[in-house]
Amino acid sequence: MAKISYVDGFYLHHKDSKIHIDDRGYHFGDAVYEVIIFNEGIFFDYNEHIKRLLRSLKSLDIELPISTNSLKIIINNVIKKNRIVFGSVYIQVSRGVAQRNHSYKNLTLKPIIIISTTEKNKDYLNNFVGVSAITLNDNRWARPDIKTTQLLPNILAKTIADKKSAYEAIFIDQYDYITEGSSSNIWIVNYDNQLITRNLDGQILSGITRNSVKKCAMKNNIKVLERKFSKHELLTAKEVFLTSATSFVTPIVKIDNSSINNGLIGELSCSLRELYLKAMKSSN
Ligand code: PDD
């Protein structure tokens, strides 16, 4: 079956889904995006993702050119047209098309929306493994709290990890504290079975999964501390895991050359993954 995407007002076959060479998203990364998981008609944290999309747009002074109701209709249409039951949807909004010029002052631009969807295998929900990660210096811009498509440091870091057969690259700030993963938030479990994840100090993305996992933990009387933690704390933690829309809760069992929890998936990481998926399956 041909893959159908939505590009600036049209539903197009994948091979025809093209944007203009003067799209500012293409020139400058002047665009924001979201990735949302859906399963059997249920979106995981849909409203939260849309709220963050609107926040990112506001931070970049871009206005969503359609209503959020229309956006939802289009997203559902793309999923239906591709007949996907379980997968992810990608939403990107760029500032628009204009002859290349850094400043956008005095430009009247129509933001360009693109929406595509990717099917995932159902096993992806149930089967999971402990993964390895590497640490790298955080060399991103000073506003990683905005979900922009400007992801060069992230993609370079992920590729370095990939070349070392690691699943994720964990960024470390100049003071030796963990910020986040190249496409995930990072958590540790201490020996009092408390969860620790960096506070929202502008140096990380406010992960939607991070927030849902936090809620699941608190509902189940698991203490969550939002504070900075050091590389030393990371490497000596009882358990480490990452969260993201596409990885849910994924245990990390090796970082650089150190084993975490003797290379085994931790109990708390495992039960948080279950609690999170259960909460998502019964949401909206
Ligand atoms: N990435 N931090 C970064 C830098 C991310 O890129 C992501 C998500 C997260 C986790 O956010 P959330 O829980 O809302 O997915 C944290 C997505 C999945 C991506 O770029 O594909």
Side-chain angles (χ1 to χ4, degrees):
M1 194 185 65
K3 190 174 168 184
I4 309 288
S5 304
Y6 173 89
V7 185
D8 190 25
F10 300 94
Y11 296 96
L12 301 171
H13 283 162
H14 197 58
K15 65 174 179 20
D16 302 318
S17 299
K18 294 175 181 160
I19 53 147
H20 197 281
I21 57 160
D22 279 339
D23 187 281
R24 287 182 62 96
Y26 176 61
H27 277 158
F28 301 116
D30 192 359
V32 301
Y33 76 103
E34 282 296 329
V35 179
I36 312 176
I37 293 287
F38 60 88
N39 183 30
E40 295 174 1
I42 292 178
F43 289 102
F44 289 17
D45 280 323
Y46 183 86
N47 291 337
E48 297 309 312
H49 281 282
I50 299 302
K51 272 191 219 155
R52 187 174 63 188
L53 178 74
L54 296 177
R55 268 204 318 274
S56 300
L57 285 167
K58 194 161 183 230
S59 306
L60 298 192
D61 186 23
I62 300 174
E63 219 171 287
L64 188 68
I66 56 173
S67 69
T68 49
N69 284 344
S70 302
L71 182 68
K72 189 154 192 185
I73 291 168
I74 299 166
I75 291 171
N76 276 316
N77 284 345
V78 172
I79 293 169
K80 267 192 216 132
K81 284 176 190 290
N82 288 282
R83 295 199 213 128
I84 296 182
V85 175
F86 173 51
S88 62
V89 64
Y90 177 79
I91 308 155
Q92 180 182 306
V93 185
S94 78
R95 192 179 303 280
V97 173
Q99 201 179 353
R100 189 174 182 276
N101 180 29
H102 286 62
S103 168
Y104 59 89
K105 183 173 173 264
N106 297 334
L107 294 180
T108 316
L109 297 180
K110 182 171 85 93
I112 305 292
I113 302 176
I114 62 172
I115 295 167
S116 62
T117 182
T118 306
E119 187 161 29
K120 291 196 183 292
N121 192 307
K122 277 272 182 178
D123 293 345
Y124 190 76
L125 264 182
N126 307 318
N127 304 342
F128 68 105
V129 289
V131 299
S132 64
I134 57 164
T135 57
L136 287 175
N137 290 337
D138 194 340
N139 58 357
R140 298 174 299 161
W141 75 319
R143 292 301 307 274
D145 58 315
I146 309 173
K147 199 162 173 65
T148 79
T149 60
Q150 189 194 257
L151 290 170
L152 259 184
N154 308 57
I155 61 124
L156 292 175
K158 187 75 110 189
T159 305
I160 294 170
D162 205 10
K163 284 182 178 168
K164 294 184 175 174
S165 303
Y167 184 82
E168 181 59 303
I170 300 175
F171 286 129
I172 315 275
D173 72 15
Q174 56 181 317
Y175 306 106
D176 230 26
Y177 289 111
I178 308 311
T179 51
E180 62 184 331
S182 70
S183 64
S184 62
N185 291 112
I186 304 295
W187 300 67
I188 59 174
V189 180
N190 69 15
Y191 285 85
D192 294 324
N193 289 322
Q194 296 168 325
L195 302 179
I196 305 170
T197 193
R198 187 167 175 134
N199 49 312
L200 301 177
D201 59 353
Q203 296 311 303
I204 62 168
L205 185 74
S206 174
I208 304 301
T209 320
R210 174 187 178 280
N211 201 39
S212 287
V213 167
K214 179 179 139 188
K215 280 193 206 153
C216 287
M218 284 160 64
K219 257 195 206 157
N220 288 276
N221 299 320
I222 302 165
K223 184 141 192 192
V224 179
L225 306 172
E226 289 179 81
R227 65 159 173 84
K228 286 182 198 173
F229 56 95
S230 66
K231 183 172 170 184
H232 176 73
E233 277 185 278
L234 175 81
L235 297 179
T236 55
K238 187 175 175 198
E239 295 178 31
V240 179
F241 62 88
L242 60 81
T243 55
S244 80
T246 46
S247 295
F248 315 130
V249 175
T250 295
I252 299 178
V253 295
K254 186 175 169 235
I255 302 173
D256 298 332
N257 292 320
S258 306
S259 284
I260 309 293
N261 194 35
N262 294 321
L264 301 171
I265 293 174
E267 257 175 55
L268 206 46
S269 313
C270 201
S271 42
L272 278 165
R273 184 179 170 103
E274 273 170 29
L275 288 170
Y276 170 74
L277 288 175
K278 203 168 146 209
M280 288 303 113
K281 281 178 193 160
S282 56
S283 69
N284 57 0

